[in-house]
Every structure is written in structure tokens, then in C-alpha cells.
Amino acid sequence: MKLSGPAAPQGVGVPRPEHALPVARPPRADTGHSWWWLGVHGGAGVSTLERAVPGGRDAGRAWPAASASATVPVVLVARSSAYGVKAAQSAARQWASGMVTGVDLLGLVVVADAPGRRPRTLHNLVRLVSGAVPRLWEIPWVESWRLGEPPLAHLPRECAPLSRDLTRLTRPA
């Protein structure tokens, strides 16, 4: 796994996004997870990833508020539609500008919004946005997920490196 973008917010010089996600206490304050999935728009795929890649919890479309003692590991999640990728871009700018603090942004997961090859315009937009986050993982279209079958019954091979990377990144030192 290699870094695709900055590992820390740049702060000064990064323009703030027009629309920012709120910062809030997560809906579930349990400690049985290692990272937060932050869906940057409705329907991003967080609930499916939560079941397909154990270890993370849904942050409820808000940056999780950090405690004074530790940073909070967060993974952005977006669909590969123009709307989804632009929402990811906005969230990445929010993080990069320093609008959210105490967050260890691990990267961005882009979940395919349709079968087949992504149009060049969207491919280029994903590449552009990937330069604003530490890492990029892409999950292909899974027809059985759309039909309501359990994610663990039909895992694409791309879930294995995602799980491995997130486990490694959140393992206590």
C-alpha cells in the first residue's frame, strides 16, 4: 500500500469547502472497533462496508469528535458517481484545511455506483481526489450486494487489501 496524497492536513492555503460535514459525537460510543467509516453522502456504502470489512463503525455522516487524549481514525466512503466523488473532495478539503481536528484520516474508499468501466471523466475525478487523501481503495460493483445478499457471502478480492491495510494502520504500536 502506498500513500496517494498527504498524510496530514496542510492547513494554511487549502481553501475551505462550500459545504462541510458536521463534527459530532458518534451515534455509538462503543470501543469494539478500530476506525470510523464516514459516508460523505447518503448511500455511500458504509453499512455494506461495515459488514464486509469488520473493524469499523458508521460515524453517521459526521466527523467523529476526538477526545483530548487520542486521534480518531477515519475512512471516507463515497460512491463513484460525480455527486459522490465531489462530496469526497469536499470532505477531503475540510480535513486538509484543518477544519476538523483530532482526526487521523486513513484514506478514501470509492464504491462503484454501476457495473462496468467508469467513464473517463469520473475516472479522472477519482484520481484528482485521491491526491487529497492519504490512501485510495476502490471497491467494484457487486450485483449480489445490490440484490440484498450478505456482503460476506460475495466479497470482491479488493476487500482483502482494504481489510489488511486498515487493520495494519489501526493496530496499536
Side-chain angles (χ1 to χ4, degrees):
M1 167 193 46
K2 63 179 179 156
L3 292 176
S4 64
Q10 295 81 51
V12 178
V14 176
R16 291 173 172 240
E18 279 186 42
H19 304 287
L21 293 170
V23 175
R25 286 263 171 252
R28 293 183 285 195
D30 64 63
T31 57
H33 67 280
S34 298
W35 64 86
W36 291 102
W37 298 111
L38 175 52
V40 298
H41 60 90
V46 168
S47 60
T48 300
L49 285 173
E50 192 174 14
R51 290 175 287 159
V53 182
R57 292 285 185 262
D58 186 350
R61 293 198 31 218
W63 291 97
S67 69
S69 62
T71 60
V72 179
V74 173
V75 179
L76 301 178
V77 181
R79 287 283 177 185
S80 63
S81 65
Y83 177 80
V85 179
K86 288 177 183 177
Q89 183 178 39
S90 181
R93 284 177 59 192
Q94 187 178 0
W95 170 76
S97 70
M99 289 176 68
V100 291
T101 58
V103 167
D104 179 13
L105 182 61
L106 303 178
L108 166 64
V109 177
V110 175
V111 180
D113 70 324
R117 291 182 60 126
R118 189 177 302 144
R120 179 163 298 284
T121 302
L122 293 177
H123 174 82
N124 292 342
L125 184 57
V126 169
R127 292 290 156 242
L128 175 70
V129 174
S130 74
V133 296
R135 293 161 198 87
L136 172 68
W137 297 278
E138 296 184 60
I139 303 299
W141 178 260
V142 181
E143 185 68 24
S144 60
W145 290 358
R146 182 178 191 214
L147 298 173
E149 295 181 31
L152 288 175
H154 303 279
L155 280 179
R157 69 177 183 271
E158 291 81 357
C159 285
L162 172 61
S163 179
R164 185 177 53 247
D165 292 348
L166 292 176
T167 299
R168 185 182 60 76
L169 289 166
T170 57
R171 185 179 316 138

